[in-house]
Amino acid sequence: MSIKDRLSKELFEPDRKETEGEILFFRLFELFVMSYVIKLAWEWGYYMVRNSEVVLPLGVANYIDVSFMFEHSISLINAALITLIVIAAFFRRGSRWQYFIAMLLFHLQYVGRFSQGEIPHSANLIGLSLLSFGIGFIFFRETLKQRRFIFGTIIFFTGLGYTSAAFAKLISTGINWADGNHLWLWIAEKKTDILSRTGTFQYNWLQELALYSRPAATVILAIGWITELSGVLIWWRSLRPYVITGIIMMHIGITLTMNIRFDAFIYELILIGYPWAALIDRYISYIPGAQYAQKLNQ
Amino acid sequence: MNLFKQRAFKILMGTFVVYGILVATHKGEFWPFSIYPMFSQAGNPWTRAIVRDVTHTPDSLVWETTDLEHIQGSKVALKKVGVDQIDFSNFISKTEQWDTNRKNALIRMFGPKNLGNSRWVISKVRGRLTAHDSVIVEVVPFLLVKRDTVLTNPLLPKNSYVILP
């Protein structure tokens, strides 16, 4: 079997039998993604109202001046449009292009909101998921194929993202990236951020350990880097739960050492990392309303 | 399903090529695509910004460079003012020309209501590793903001506020 065949078998699981658990889980996963899309669209929309200038053009903002989003509540109108399109698409009303159109509007919302210099990645997995829904609905009509393609695409880009982050560190800094004094410098940076945000700051136990011992700080960074590097291993179904558990632990470590929270990432990793569909199948008779899953899927 | 597998792989690879082209031509970022370059450059000096209320601080101390432990004035939590602190830091550190528009944008960002009759000093906070592998953080007052005006630090060279082409 060629690498291409093996990889597409692992990602798209063409031979696996469709089950009610899969159908129900996928609809719940879709609900999770779309709820987050709506939440972020409105949060970004409300924030944009106080922006007045584009400091850092991102994405499509390199080609069009997105400062028009800051006036006349356009960012809120965009949020409302995204909400309507996504809700209609969730209930399978309208065109199969809807999720993709919502993605384009969502991209516009992101580049408008984050035109002030910050490039956050905490919503990347949600954006990537919406994009995968968009592409999946355009190219596939059968629900089973849509599901398998969308899920496989999300897994592919999630794994790729972590591994590329590890390589970016290797390319930009080299093997000494994990030197503990680099963590000291980041902790000082994050301390400044927290002081700026809340006015107060206190070190936690992990930060104290890292600042006390340079070898300990080095080990913390090295474990993080190895975990990132292993990202592409989630492409293999049998390894996925273990690697995802490691990545979730890494995110908790990042939160503790650098006060950076990746809530949406962690929730979605929990959803894509474990065999929830099989678990639902095992206990489906106890789940109220599960028999309607097939109906919902139509 | 064999045909599906082949078609799905083709579409995935097509998306991957688009991803590659977009991130390669946009410094690694074209949301939601990214090569996740954050924290890839370790040990580099950084600049952030912090706000303090110096309404009751003597004028002679307002522009004094300090460290984080001896910073002048009382705390201002940007979260309470509704400003994202990373956006704010970038706004301060990446603005090259402090013209009237930028100064007004700053007052708008804080909101004249939040400023009231107080005066807030914005400091650039700079962190770096020393030759002896320790971390030094210095707080340099940069702008003094009141409800209707923004003043610059007279102790800093003029080109700190206007970068000429």
Side-chain angles (χ1 to χ4, degrees):
Chain A
M1 195 185 276
S2 68
I3 293 176
K4 176 190 152 190
D5 279 340
R6 191 172 292 177
L7 185 59
S8 34
K9 196 179 165 196
E10 292 288 342
L11 290 171
F12 305 121
E13 306 180 67
D15 305 323
R16 188 162 58 81
K17 215 181 129 217
E18 184 180 39
T19 65
E20 285 188 330
E22 181 190 347
I23 296 166
L24 183 62
F25 168 70
F26 190 83
R27 288 299 272 165
L28 291 173
F29 174 68
E30 189 177 352
L31 182 66
F32 163 82
V33 171
M34 300 316 154
S35 304
Y36 244 104
V37 167
I38 293 170
K39 175 182 179 283
L40 293 172
W42 284 101
E43 275 177 15
W44 297 345
Y46 275 112
Y47 194 94
M48 241 184 285
V49 175
R50 62 167 66 203
N51 289 353
S52 52
E53 283 197 68
V54 174
V55 178
L56 177 72
L58 291 173
V60 76
N62 285 289
Y63 308 102
I64 56 166
D65 181 6
V66 294
S67 58
F68 74 91
M69 299 280 290
F70 309 153
E71 306 291 337
H72 312 298
S73 303
I74 289 175
S75 61
L76 298 178
I77 294 168
N78 195 35
L81 269 175
I82 293 168
T83 305
L84 289 174
I85 294 171
V86 157
I87 290 175
F90 182 82
F91 289 105
R92 307 291 183 259
R93 296 281 178 265
S95 150
R96 61 200 173 101
W97 283 81
Q98 269 167 241
Y99 275 142
F100 192 79
I101 292 166
M103 179 61 223
L104 298 179
L105 297 176
F106 199 37
H107 174 85
L108 196 60
Q109 198 80 336
Y110 176 91
V111 299
R113 162 62 185 88
F114 296 107
S115 57
Q116 304 302 293
E118 183 193 2
I119 309 176
H121 297 90
S122 54
N124 275 47
L125 204 43
I126 296 293
L128 192 67
S129 302
L130 180 59
L131 179 68
S132 303
F133 273 90
I135 298 170
F137 273 68
I138 290 171
F139 286 101
F140 299 99
R141 285 176 186 265
E142 282 176 55
T143 53
L144 174 65
K145 290 175 182 173
Q146 285 173 349
R147 273 199 304 274
R148 300 283 166 91
F149 173 81
I150 290 165
F151 211 76
T153 303
I154 292 170
I155 293 288
F156 177 83
F157 280 108
T158 303
L160 183 72
Y162 283 104
T163 301
S164 76
F167 275 105
K169 290 172 178 69
L170 206 56
I171 293 164
S172 297
T173 304
I175 199 72
N176 66 331
W177 177 88
D179 191 333
N181 64 0
H182 297 152
L183 184 57
W184 293 349
L185 193 60
W186 281 318
I187 290 175
E189 187 178 359
K190 290 300 147 191
K191 176 184 175 181
T192 308
D193 281 341
I194 302 292
L195 267 173
S196 182
R197 187 166 72 197
T198 65
T200 54
F201 178 83
Q202 255 197 322
Y203 292 119
N204 62 40
W205 64 272
L206 195 59
Q207 287 167 325
E208 277 179 357
L209 172 70
L211 293 172
Y212 175 74
S213 158
R214 187 168 171 180
T218 302
V219 169
I220 291 169
L221 287 182
I223 291 173
W225 185 80
I226 291 166
T227 311
E228 273 191 340
L229 187 66
S230 69
V232 289
L233 297 179
I234 70 168
W235 292 352
W236 283 268
R237 269 175 293 170
S238 56
L239 297 175
R240 199 170 297 157
Y242 308 107
V243 179
I244 292 270
T245 303
I247 293 173
I248 291 171
M249 300 299 285
M250 180 192 74
H251 276 297
I252 293 170
I254 293 172
T255 303
L256 285 173
T257 50
M258 297 201 245
N259 302 85
I260 302 172
R261 287 176 58 168
F262 278 81
D263 292 359
F265 254 82
I266 291 179
Y267 298 147
E268 188 160 342
L269 287 171
I270 291 171
L271 287 174
I272 65 173
Y274 303 102
W276 297 110
L279 192 77
I280 293 171
D281 280 328
R282 186 177 291 179
Y283 297 104
I284 197 149
S285 55
Y286 302 106
I287 301 173
Q291 64 270 33
Y292 299 114
Q294 280 281 10
K295 257 190 184 174
L296 265 174
N297 196 43
Q298 301 307 307
Chain B
M1 285 302 264
N2 213 27
L3 270 179
F4 158 71
K5 196 173 76 174
Q6 286 177 6
R7 187 155 181 254
F9 192 78
K10 269 186 194 165
I11 296 165
L12 178 66
M13 286 303 109
T15 313
F16 178 59
V17 168
V18 172
Y19 155 89
I21 292 170
L22 287 176
V23 295
T25 52
H26 294 84
K27 296 175 186 166
E29 300 281 356
F30 199 98
W31 197 83
F33 295 134
S34 172
I35 57 161
Y36 299 94
M38 66 283 197
F39 299 111
S40 61
Q41 293 184 342
N44 279 2
W46 47 260
T47 302
R48 306 305 246 199
I50 198 164
V51 187
R52 302 284 285 185
D53 186 332
V54 289
T55 310
H56 304 295
T57 303
D59 285 353
S60 58
L61 297 176
V62 165
W63 300 115
E64 199 176 69
T65 295
T66 64
D67 57 32
L68 273 179
E69 275 65 41
H70 301 94
I71 194 165
Q72 299 291 342
S74 55
K75 71 175 184 184
V76 174
L78 285 177
K79 195 179 175 186
K80 278 194 180 162
V81 186
V83 175
D84 182 290
Q85 95 278 356
I86 309 271
D87 275 345
F88 174 70
S89 286
N90 282 313
F91 188 88
I92 299 300
S93 63
K94 288 186 179 160
T95 293
E96 294 183 337
Q97 198 150 342
W98 282 98
D99 55 18
T100 312
N101 278 349
R102 276 297 154 101
K103 288 177 178 176
N104 288 340
L106 196 60
I107 294 173
R108 180 176 165 181
M109 190 189 275
F110 287 145
K113 235 185 187 178
N114 287 318
L115 281 161
N117 291 321
S118 50
R119 55 180 195 164
W120 293 357
V121 73
I122 297 166
S123 300
K124 285 188 175 180
V125 185
R126 295 192 179 111
R128 62 185 163 86
L129 282 174
T130 67
H132 306 290
D133 283 337
S134 59
V135 174
I136 281 190
V137 177
E138 63 174 12
V139 182
V140 184
F142 190 66
L143 295 165
L144 186 73
V145 184
K146 297 181 194 172
R147 190 171 42 183
D148 50 2
T149 182
V150 177
L151 304 173
T152 55
N153 182 347
L155 304 177
L156 292 178
K158 280 244 168 1
N159 64 4
S160 305
Y161 299 93
V162 181
I163 307 245
L164 298 170

